[in-house]
Amino acid sequence: MSQMNTETPYRNVLVVVLPERHMLPPDGDEFKGDDSAIPGVYSVDGIPDRVTEEEAAYYALEAFHESQGIAFVEDLAIFVIDTEAGRLLDEDEDPTGGEWIGGVSCEKTGTDLPPWLVTLLLREMDPLD
């Protein structure tokens, strides 16, 4: 069992997982793929504030994938959000040459998206911008 990272302050990061549009049934029924329990909001703790946004996204996704076994990643849309900055973060493919900072944890907080998060996702994904 790893110890929690003692660096402070930490970034407030969420991983949001939604089913891809092609996975949603046309009749409005629920997503029933192999990964139907995965969609939701995940809180990622332990990412030090000193890392770049791209590194924060990388560590958040690594922690998420370590905590969740995903059968078909192409069936899911996965977003990393810096809650303090109020924006989506882009991932750095391998920011530190494989170095892991340790003490990062990921826990599902629920399946409902709060209104501010829906607004952010709609704004960030607006094809007219």
Side-chain angles (χ1 to χ4, degrees):
M1 178 109 144
S2 66
Q3 293 181 323
M4 283 300 292
N5 193 325
T6 57
E7 287 189 49
T8 57
Y10 298 106
R11 287 185 178 270
N12 295 319
V13 178
L14 297 177
V15 172
V16 177
V17 183
L18 303 171
E20 284 286 1
R21 182 174 291 180
H22 72 272
M23 292 302 297
L24 297 174
D27 60 5
D29 200 5
E30 291 186 20
F31 171 58
K32 293 182 179 167
D34 290 337
D35 297 314
S36 62
I38 303 291
V41 179
Y42 295 79
S43 177
V44 181
D45 298 316
I47 298 176
D49 198 32
R50 67 174 165 78
V51 301
T52 66
E53 289 183 352
E54 292 82 9
E55 289 171 331
Y58 172 84
Y59 292 126
L61 289 170
E62 287 294 310
F64 169 75
H65 286 295
E66 282 185 10
S67 70
Q68 301 297 316
I70 298 177
F72 299 102
V73 73
E74 63 274 5
D75 292 346
L76 301 168
I78 303 172
F79 305 94
V80 180
I81 295 155
D82 183 324
T83 59
E84 288 181 20
R87 66 176 174 264
L88 295 176
L89 301 181
D90 294 321
E91 177 187 11
D92 187 338
E93 291 299 319
D94 193 3
T96 58
E99 177 186 343
W100 182 245
I101 57 174
V104 179
S105 65
C106 180
E107 183 177 323
K108 189 172 190 175
T109 60
T111 56
D112 295 330
L113 301 180
W116 71 267
L117 194 48
V118 172
T119 301
L120 173 69
L121 289 171
L122 289 173
R123 183 182 73 226
E124 292 289 332
M125 296 185 317
D126 185 357
L128 299 176
D129 280 349

